[in-house]
């Protein structure tokens, strides 16, 4: 199996790497003469650079972002920096800018593209495939591997997730001069586009990226990496779950240790033990320290403040309840009421004593200190490994508890989704209710009502046929009874399937199943479940996901245990 080929020495990821470099976004195409920008009611011809940035804003006019003050301010500030001095003299107020004609032009263009005849669409697809063939693959140690994101990101306005303070800022165009290329020394080094040169060419086989550049908004590095289906990525994924499986053997010792530390004489140790309990029991993220004012005010376990929790000696018939309310990663709200063990509750009271709401709850704890401790407990252990371990174990236990071998495929799939939902709730993977939810639910309900009617009619038909058979006792009438019963059974199965679909849809409306499925759940658990219960794997994983998890589909038999 290609997952089990010879291992390389430590740190070395490949011996040979050859590729074409990134595919750059085509240059800006100016607007047609008859599409105009208006300032203070009068048409104003913009310079090319200024016009391009105006189109970024115009395209987003019908989006909620452009109604937000912070987005408008950031955009206008960055846009003015790119204007000519003449334009800066005229354009001083965003409220006087009218982008509607430009917006309409792009909406129409989009509609026209959707309405293209089949042959035209096929032609565009062939052009895209040609680019994919040329830039979308590399040669890695003799294997032709697919590249993940081989195109540079187009310029535009930064959106960010949640209420990001930098939303609306200008994401600049990536040029070859910004890009570092990584390949093997003896390979054919990729040519930069004509008239340009690379920032640098490296031959570093201890990393797996093919090209990198720094984006201008958060000053973070962006990489071109291999596709998740590639051998290197598959191995990395597999290793991640193997580390989480190792935790299974020592987790009882770790739990015993942090329970002991709740009574430690050192407050620092007590804080570490309570934080670890939260990371283990609630799958909280560790929460890395961030630069002041750098990003949105989001926290994790170690950076919780006193204002983020409330203690209730009793609440809703439970004792020692901690009420959490904070913004986690990507500004997603984490709200949860949890009954905790008494020593944890007592310790939290102690940690909160004489503190202001904005003080740190774990004031003596850093993620570095916590991760050092975890590393000492088990090689390779971090807070994230707990999340992976608890997510995977939860899925496996829930599947055992919920799957009824007697159920049909639809019933078993509902059990699978319910097990996956339990994990998504544990990891707080939420989504906003889809805009189309109410309408699609209504359509489904109408279908269910129509099917119910068909079932009732079929029941009548069966009764009629049975009466006829009683009277005549002939073979033809008997065959008719069987035929009507078969039809009724089929209709009843279809109705049951629709009802399951409606239940699933309703239970799923605010939960994002994809994140845990792709990042926290050992795919071998799902593959084994499919094989055990005769469920086609494509009912659980789509084509892209099956490519990403090819290693698991290869490896796991029906008796795999995480």
């Amino acid at each position: 199996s290609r997952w089990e080929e010879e291992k390389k020495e430590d740190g070395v990821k490949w011996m040979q790497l050859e590729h074409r470099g990134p595919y750059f976004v085509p240059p800006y195409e100016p607007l047609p003469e008859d599409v105009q920008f208006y300032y203070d009611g009068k048409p104003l011809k913009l310079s090319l650079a200024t016009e391009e940035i105006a189109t970024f804003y115009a395209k987003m006019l019908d989006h909620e972002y452009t109604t937000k003050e912070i987005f408008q301010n950031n955009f206008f500030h960055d846009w003015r920096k790119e204007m000519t001095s003449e334009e800066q003299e005229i354009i001083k107020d965003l409220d006087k800018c009218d982008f509607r004609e430009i917006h309409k032009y792009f909406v129409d263009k989009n509609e026209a593209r959707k309405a293209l005849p089949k042959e035209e669409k096929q032609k565009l697809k062939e052009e895209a495939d040609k680019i994919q063939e040329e830039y979308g693959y590399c040669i890695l140690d003799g294997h032709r591997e697919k590249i993940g994101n081989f195109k540079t990101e187009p310029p535009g306005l930064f959106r960010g997730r949640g209420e990001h303070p930098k939303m609306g800022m200008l994401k600049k165009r990536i040029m070859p001069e910004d890009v570092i290329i990584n390949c093997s020394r003896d390979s054919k080094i990729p040519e930069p586009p004509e008239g340009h040169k690379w920032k640098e060419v490296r031959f570093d086989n201890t990393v797996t990226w093919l090209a990198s550049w720094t984006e201008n908004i958060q000053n973070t590095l962006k990489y071109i990496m291999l596709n998740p289906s590639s051998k290197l990525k598959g191995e990395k994924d597999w290793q991640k779950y193997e580390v989480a499986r190792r935790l299974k053997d020592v987790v009882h010792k770790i739990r015993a240790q942090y329970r002991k530390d709740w009574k430690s004489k050192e407050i620092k140790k007590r804080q570490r033990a309570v934080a670890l309990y939260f990371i283990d029991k609630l799958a909280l993220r560790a929460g890395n320290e961030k630069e002041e004012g750098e990003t949105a005010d989001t926290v994790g376990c170690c950076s919780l403040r006193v204002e983020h929790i409330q203690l209730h000696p009793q609440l809703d018939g439970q004792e020692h309840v901690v009420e959490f309310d904070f913004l986690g990663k990507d500004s997603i709200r984490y709200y949860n009421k949890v009954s905790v063990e008494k020593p944890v509750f007592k310790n939290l009271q102690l940690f909160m004593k004489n503190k202001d709401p904005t003080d740190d709850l774990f004031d003596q704890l850093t993620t570095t200190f916590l991760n050092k401790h975890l590393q000492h407990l088990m090689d390779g252990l971090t807070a994230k490994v707990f999340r992976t371990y608890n997510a995977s174990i939860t899925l496996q236990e829930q599947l055992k508890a919920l799957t009824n071998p007697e159920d049909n495929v639809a019933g078993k799939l509902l059990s699978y989704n319910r097990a996956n939902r339990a994990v998504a709730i544990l990891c707080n993977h939420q989504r906003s209710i889809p805009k189309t939810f109410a309408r699609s639910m209504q359509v489904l309900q109408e279908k269910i009502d129509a099917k119910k009617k068909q079932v009732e009619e079929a029941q009548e038909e069966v009764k009629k046929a049975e009466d006829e058979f009683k009277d005549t006792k002939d073979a033809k009438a008997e065959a008719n009874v069987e035929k009507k019963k078969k039809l009724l059974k089929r209709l009843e199965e279809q109705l049951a399937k629709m009802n399951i679909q409606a239940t699933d849809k309703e239970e799923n409306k605010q939960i994002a199943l994809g994140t845990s499925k792709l990042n926290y759940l050992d795919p071998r658990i799902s593959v084994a479940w499919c094989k055990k219960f005769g469920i086609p794997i494509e009912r659980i994983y789509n084509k892209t996901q099956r490519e990403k998890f090819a290693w698991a589909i290869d490896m796991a038999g029906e008796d795999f245990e995480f």
Side-chain angles (χ1 to χ4, degrees), residues 56-75:
F56 301 155
Y57 193 83
K59 283 175 187 171
M60 291 179 74
L61 274 194
D62 54 4
H63 207 292
E64 192 192 347
Y65 278 109
T66 49
T67 62
K68 296 182 181 180
E69 196 178 337
I70 185 155
F71 188 94
Q72 295 172 353
N73 293 344
N74 284 338
F75 160 71

Side-chain angles (χ1 to χ4, degrees), residues 10-55:
D10 258 10
V12 172
K13 303 290 199 293
W14 45 263
M15 304 310 281
Q16 176 212 11
L17 176 62
E18 185 170 302
H19 56 93
R20 281 292 314 260
Y23 177 78
F24 289 91
V25 180
Y28 173 63
E29 278 181 33
L31 292 169
E33 288 298 323
D34 57 345
V35 177
Q36 300 202 316
F37 166 77
Y38 294 85
Y39 187 74
D40 210 3
K42 301 184 191 74
L44 179 63
K45 182 79 182 136
L46 299 173
S47 65
L48 216 54
T50 308
E51 180 186 280
E52 181 180 12
I53 299 164
T55 66

Side-chain angles (χ1 to χ4, degrees), residues 113-127:
R113 195 169 63 241
K114 282 184 198 161
L116 280 177
K118 209 169 160 189
E119 310 73 69
E120 291 293 320
K121 278 186 181 161
Q122 183 56 32
K123 224 155 91 193
L124 289 175
K125 186 183 175 304
E126 280 165 14
E127 282 167 23

